[in-house]
Amino acid sequence: MAETPLRALVADDEEPALAELVYLLQRDDRIGEIRTASNGPDALKILQAADLDVVFCDIKMPGLDGIDLASVISKFRPPRPQIVFVTAYDEHAVEAFELEATDYVMKPVRAERLAEAVRRVVTAGAPSALQSADETDDEVIPVELAGVTRFVQRSTVRYVEAQGDYARLHTGQNSHLVRIPLSTLEERWGDAGFTRIHRSTLVALAHVDEMRVDGGRCAVRVGDDWLPVSRRHTRELRDLLVRSTSLRG
């Protein structure tokens, strides 16, 4: 349970959906004050007048939709409210990722799924001294599979391969195609231990099990996969691995 209940704003232009979401949040002890708005402009006015911790917002709203609202909030001075999208549309998951939304909940909202979203908000906003590095810094990536939006934790991603304007995330058991360029992930995940080893590959240093140079060609083993390392990245990768190993040791 959060030490201080979260101050929340719920924004949805459909009254039944708004009332249901407020009802579910009121049953959660981690939620305190709840304000409501039926459109984006009203939500923005409330946010400018009050210090709130989290915004649960629909995407399709008149005047200023949820994506636009989140974009405005992203320009607020820290600490800014976290964003949880609550929507019937899964095609905006990539935009939610780019706006660093804390979660993306699909309608109809299930109580247990909403409780998980609240847990993520609490975890993301908790003081770093109370969290491990993974809990503090880990990121959740929305992926689509057979029409269902799922969420993959960045810490489970071992390496990433470029596929045109898309990227394929490889975890221990699966791979997921996301509509995000490799260059975007390289810039965003650099501080999380991901480094480019080839023009088409990013690798998580924490998941590199072995590095081998044979006949001037370098490769790294990540689980059961051997990934080629380009000549221009070989020396930098070796230095990063040595530094990473010494820090872990």
Side-chain angles (χ1 to χ4, degrees):
M1 179 176 172
E3 291 185 3
T4 302
L6 296 169
R7 298 160 297 180
L9 169 64
V10 179
D12 197 314
D13 64 316
E14 297 180 355
E15 180 57 35
L18 180 68
E20 175 68 10
L21 192 53
V22 169
Y23 169 74
L24 292 174
L25 289 172
Q26 286 175 333
R27 298 173 62 188
D28 195 317
D29 292 338
R30 297 166 296 184
I31 301 291
E33 175 187 1
I34 301 176
R35 301 196 181 196
T36 62
S38 58
N39 56 62
D42 284 351
L44 189 56
K45 289 178 183 178
I46 293 172
L47 288 166
Q48 290 172 333
D51 292 328
L52 300 177
D53 301 303
V54 57
V55 179
F56 296 88
C57 69
D58 190 16
I59 286 183
K60 301 288 178 124
M61 294 189 297
L64 188 74
D65 67 22
I67 295 294
D68 292 334
L69 178 63
S71 180
V72 173
I73 292 173
S74 71
K75 296 177 175 59
F76 283 13
R77 287 184 178 180
R80 59 182 67 89
Q82 296 182 58
I83 300 291
V84 174
F85 288 111
V86 184
T87 177
Y89 304 91
D90 61 5
E91 65 265 27
H92 299 284
V94 171
E95 291 175 279
F97 167 76
E98 293 173 345
L99 288 168
E100 299 185 11
T102 302
D103 208 345
Y104 192 97
V105 179
M106 296 295 295
K107 294 179 180 180
V109 179
R110 295 178 292 110
E112 59 272 24
R113 180 65 184 87
L114 185 61
E116 168 62 15
V118 174
R119 184 197 68 78
R120 292 178 179 177
V121 171
V122 171
T123 299
S128 58
L130 301 179
Q131 297 175 270
S132 69
D134 285 346
E135 288 176 323
T136 304
D137 300 328
D138 207 2
E139 191 169 307
V140 177
I141 306 97
V143 300
E144 296 179 27
L145 182 63
V148 177
T149 299
R150 304 181 186 276
F151 295 87
V152 174
Q153 287 185 296
R154 183 186 58 201
S155 59
T156 66
V157 177
R158 297 183 174 189
Y159 64 97
V160 186
E161 288 183 303
Q163 295 190 354
D165 291 332
Y166 289 71
R168 183 167 293 279
L169 312 178
H170 292 266
T171 61
Q173 302 295 327
N174 301 296
S175 70
H176 307 276
L177 193 65
V178 294
R179 197 171 63 236
I180 305 169
L182 192 71
S183 57
T184 299
L185 292 179
E186 179 183 19
E187 179 180 352
R188 184 156 177 172
W189 290 1
D191 292 339
F194 282 77
T195 189
R196 191 183 286 262
I197 62 171
H198 192 275
R199 67 177 181 274
S200 61
T201 313
L202 284 180
V203 70
L205 295 174
H207 289 292
V208 174
D209 299 308
E210 185 178 349
M211 181 175 183
R212 178 182 298 172
V213 179
D214 185 11
R217 296 181 179 274
C218 180
V220 292
R221 182 172 63 83
V222 179
D224 295 329
D225 298 326
W226 280 97
L227 309 175
V229 181
S230 67
R231 290 181 182 274
R232 65 186 296 259
H233 290 106
T234 297
R235 177 177 295 180
E236 179 185 3
L237 177 62
R238 183 187 292 112
D239 292 343
L240 287 171
L241 287 172
V242 169
R243 197 178 314 151
S244 175
T245 302
S246 65
L247 288 174
R248 282 182 282 181

